[in-house]
Amino acid sequence: MLSILAAGSVFFPGLFLLSKQCLKSIPALRWSEGDAVIVSARLVSSIQAVMASSAGYIISSSCKDIIEDQHWLTSSYILFAVPYFVYDIYAMFMCYWYKLRVKGHEEASAAPQHMSSALKSYLRREFLMVLHHVVMVTVCFPVSVFWRQGRGDYFQGVMFMAELSTPSVCLGKILIQYKQQHTLLHKVNGALMLITFFICRVLLFPYLYYVYGRYASIPFHMVPFSVPWHCNLGAALLMAPQLYWFSLICRGALRLFLGTSRSQRPRPATDAPKQPLADGNTLPQPANGYSTRSTEPELTTH
């Protein structure tokens, strides 16, 4: 158990640092620290999502009895992935920190004391996502590994596949960062994100209730009354943020496809305005064209 936890603790932060260093040092790229941090965080999230979805498919397709059948990958991947949620809280803060500096909310040579105010702002703005990650570590981890007592691996595998929507969410963030909202890729990715998020996250628990109803030979509408109360409570608590995030995706999709988005094509780099710093100097607009004003809300789910 400890060896798997240690492997995850090394893998995800190590992958983040390796990706960041490559983006900064490859001659054809040589991105700034902020750009490298933001894109590396999205990359690690996408890789974790692919790994979790693959593990989930293997587990769920191997369990014929959805209650009693077990697969060794279930507990192993849970242990391996737990450190990711701890690392991701840090990675999301670093993304937020560098975005603040690009937007001119902090000086480029920000003093350490500014970090505390940025941390408070980050916790207020991303409270739901941070809470989600904390619950995954402090509640879902012990429940999935110890409380289940080896039962319900099928359900755990299906829940892993909820991560299938994450790569499109991460790609959408990167395209917004690079002011590519006008491209066909952004529109196609937006449609894919809407579909995958609805199927993999919004329909997740109704599907699990349906599957259990078939297994127990009870009508779908009777399933909530036939399972323990804490199962219904856990499903409701996990479902609520997914519905909120899905509403944000729908709102963004309406702006994108109905043409009401305030986003515009990025101006040429030579015409990009400079942001004043507190010392009177100017901060050039970054090469990625990141605007000092956000044109649409950013979804922060994983």
Side-chain angles (χ1 to χ4, degrees), residues 197-209 239 243:
F197 199 95
F198 178 72
I199 294 175
C200 298
R201 292 181 180 263
V202 176
L203 294 183
L204 173 64
F205 288 101
Y207 171 75
L208 293 179
Y209 275 51
M239 183 76 171
L243 292 175

Side-chain angles (χ1 to χ4, degrees), residues 64-105:
K64 305 306 178 184
D65 187 308
I66 64 173
I67 300 296
E68 301 297 337
D69 283 359
Q70 298 181 10
H71 195 286
W72 66 269
L73 192 55
T74 308
S75 295
S76 296
Y77 191 78
I78 292 173
L79 291 168
F80 182 75
V82 161
Y84 164 79
F85 292 98
V86 179
Y87 140 82
D88 198 47
I89 294 176
Y90 164 79
M92 289 190 300
F93 170 70
M94 294 307 298
C95 292
Y96 183 75
W97 168 247
Y98 280 108
K99 284 181 180 179
L100 284 181
R101 298 175 68 182
V102 168
K103 291 180 179 181
H105 294 177

Side-chain angles (χ1 to χ4, degrees), residues 93 96-122 275-279 283:
F93 170 70
Y96 183 75
W97 168 247
Y98 280 108
K99 284 181 180 179
L100 284 181
R101 298 175 68 182
V102 168
K103 291 180 179 181
H105 294 177
E106 298 284 348
E107 296 185 25
S109 57
Q113 58 264 30
H114 291 300
M115 187 71 77
S116 60
S117 61
L119 179 60
K120 293 177 182 178
S121 175
Y122 161 72
Q275 297 297 326
L277 291 178
D279 59 4
L283 176 67

Side-chain angles (χ1 to χ4, degrees), residues 13-29:
L15 182 61
F16 171 77
L17 294 174
L18 177 62
S19 173
K20 184 182 72 170
Q21 189 60 36
C22 289
L23 292 174
K24 290 171 57 180
S25 60
I26 292 178
L29 297 176

Side-chain angles (χ1 to χ4, degrees), residues 37-297:
V37 164
I38 293 172
V39 174
S40 296
R42 311 301 188 216
L43 177 62
V44 174
S45 294
S46 297
I47 291 175
Q48 192 281 142
V50 171
M51 294 173 65
S53 301
S54 301
Y57 175 77
I58 293 171
I59 294 166
S60 58
S61 61
S62 301
C63 295
K64 305 306 178 184
D65 187 308
I66 64 173
I67 300 296
E68 301 297 337
D69 283 359
Q70 298 181 10
H71 195 286
W72 66 269
L73 192 55
T74 308
S75 295
S76 296
Y77 191 78
I78 292 173
L79 291 168
F80 182 75
V82 161
Y84 164 79
F85 292 98
V86 179
Y87 140 82
D88 198 47
I89 294 176
Y90 164 79
M92 289 190 300
F93 170 70
M94 294 307 298
C95 292
Y96 183 75
W97 168 247
Y98 280 108
K99 284 181 180 179
L100 284 181
R101 298 175 68 182
V102 168
K103 291 180 179 181
H105 294 177
E106 298 284 348
E107 296 185 25
S109 57
Q113 58 264 30
H114 291 300
M115 187 71 77
S116 60
S117 61
L119 179 60
K120 293 177 182 178
S121 175
Y122 161 72
L123 291 176
R124 286 195 302 269
R125 186 177 187 273
E126 306 295 348
F127 173 77
L128 184 59
M129 178 56 66
V130 173
L131 178 63
H132 171 266
H133 280 41
V134 171
V135 168
M136 292 296 291
V137 175
T138 60
V139 179
C140 295
F141 164 62
V143 166
S144 298
V145 174
F146 303 110
W147 182 79
R148 287 190 311 115
Q149 298 181 342
R151 306 183 74 204
D153 280 19
Y154 173 85
F155 295 96
Q156 193 67 57
V158 173
M159 293 179 69
F160 283 163
M161 288 194 288
E163 293 290 337
L164 193 62
S165 63
T166 299
S168 59
V169 173
C170 292
L171 178 58
K173 293 178 183 179
I174 294 176
L175 292 173
I176 291 173
Q177 175 189 344
Y178 279 84
K179 302 294 291 180
Q180 297 300 306
Q181 296 95 318
H182 62 281
T183 63
L184 177 61
L185 176 60
H186 180 69
K187 294 180 180 180
V188 172
N189 182 72
L192 181 63
M193 177 172 63
L194 184 68
I195 295 170
T196 56
F197 199 95
F198 178 72
I199 294 175
C200 298
R201 292 181 180 263
V202 176
L203 294 183
L204 173 64
F205 288 101
Y207 171 75
L208 293 179
Y209 275 51
Y210 166 75
V211 170
Y212 181 79
R214 288 183 56 189
Y215 174 83
S217 300
I218 57 178
F220 173 76
H221 66 277
M222 292 299 297
V223 174
F225 303 100
S226 304
V227 299
W229 67 268
H230 48 265
C231 293
N232 291 321
L233 177 62
L237 292 177
L238 291 174
M239 183 76 171
Q242 310 305 328
L243 292 175
Y244 170 71
W245 288 322
F246 183 67
S247 70
L248 295 183
I249 294 176
C250 291
R251 191 170 63 184
L254 285 175
R255 284 198 304 273
L256 178 64
F257 293 105
L258 296 181
T260 58
S261 174
R262 293 173 294 173
S263 300
Q264 296 179 350
R265 285 176 175 268
R267 299 174 63 183
T270 55
D271 297 331
K274 296 177 180 289
Q275 297 297 326
L277 291 178
D279 59 4
N281 296 324
T282 56
L283 176 67
Q285 194 77 352
N288 64 9
Y290 190 85
S291 172
T292 58
R293 294 182 299 171
S294 178
T295 57
E296 57 185 274

